[in-house]
Amino acid sequence: MSGQISENDRSVLHLITNPGLPLEDAKEEAKDDDTVGFDVEKLAEVKELEKKGVVCAEDERYDEAMGYLQQAISLLPNRASAYNNRAQLHRLMGNTDGAMDDLDKAIELTQGKGRTASFAYTQRALILKKQGEKDQALQDFEKAAQLGNPFAKREVIQSNPYAALCNQMLSKAFQSLSGSCDIDKKKNDDEVATCDSR
């Protein structure tokens, strides 16, 4: 017997472990495809500029961070990662419009595919959610979840109370099957699972 599972089994497992996600086939986690087609030396320089920008942003040196990210974009204007990072910086600086413009550009450059797209969709969804645009935010979370973003997957599940309840019940059932749960009867005949956290 082979150690691999069939596509049908993979789809069933995907539905069980991700009950709130769309019923489409499970996709592998998005690969870092934001490095293909660029000059190797320029790409290395741009990645270093982005790293410096992120470090500066973490230290709240926003103007310096912006300078590094602007340089990265100037060197490789068709690479989405720097737009995604600059969008995060715009968010930190309170410039929501600038963030949305950069996220739209990152999604356009990635054609909605890959790891950078999953991050851009997630960031855009967070902004939309904060602005009260819950339906649009959910659409972006769903796209990011399909690209393998775990945070977006949790957001999709949390947005669907039935899926969250189903996920909780399945988790308890799996724990019970593994022998780490005891089912107790309460006075009102409701069953309560108590699980060992091993």
Side-chain angles (χ1 to χ4, degrees), residues 63-79:
D63 291 335
E64 191 176 347
M66 186 63 77
Y68 285 124
L69 295 174
Q70 298 282 50
Q71 281 182 273
I73 289 170
S74 294
L75 284 172
L76 290 178
N78 292 324
R79 184 166 184 266

Side-chain angles (χ1 to χ4, degrees), residues 124-125 128-129 131 133-141:
R124 192 169 74 177
L128 291 167
K129 184 177 178 182
Q131 293 175 337
E133 302 290 338
K134 292 182 181 180
D135 291 340
Q136 288 178 308
L138 181 57
Q139 289 175 6
D140 276 356
F141 279 133

Side-chain angles (χ1 to χ4, degrees), residues 7 15 42 44-45 54 58 81 85 95 105 118 126 129 132 147 183:
E7 284 301 314
L15 291 173
K42 250 187 194 178
E45 184 179 353
V54 169
E58 288 172 350
S81 178
N85 287 326
N95 181 2
K105 183 68 174 178
S118 81
L126 287 168
K129 184 177 178 182
L147 293 171
I183 305 295

Side-chain angles (χ1 to χ4, degrees), residues 11 13-27 138 140-160 162-164 167:
S11 295
L13 184 59
H14 172 70
L15 291 173
I16 290 171
T17 58
N18 300 292
L21 294 181
L23 299 177
E24 298 167 344
D25 290 339
K27 294 187 180 176
L138 181 57
D140 276 356
F141 279 133
E142 287 173 344
K143 289 174 185 173
Q146 286 298 312
L147 293 171
N149 187 297
F151 178 82
K153 286 180 183 181
R154 285 190 300 275
E155 285 292 319
V156 170
I157 291 169
Q158 287 177 358
S159 72
N160 182 341
Y162 297 112
N167 196 27

Side-chain angles (χ1 to χ4, degrees), residues 16 164-178 180-181 193 195:
I16 290 171
L165 180 61
C166 180
N167 196 27
Q168 182 181 20
M169 290 168 46
L170 283 170
S171 176
K172 286 180 182 179
F174 283 132
Q175 288 175 341
S176 178
L177 288 172
S178 69
S180 62
C181 289
C195 301

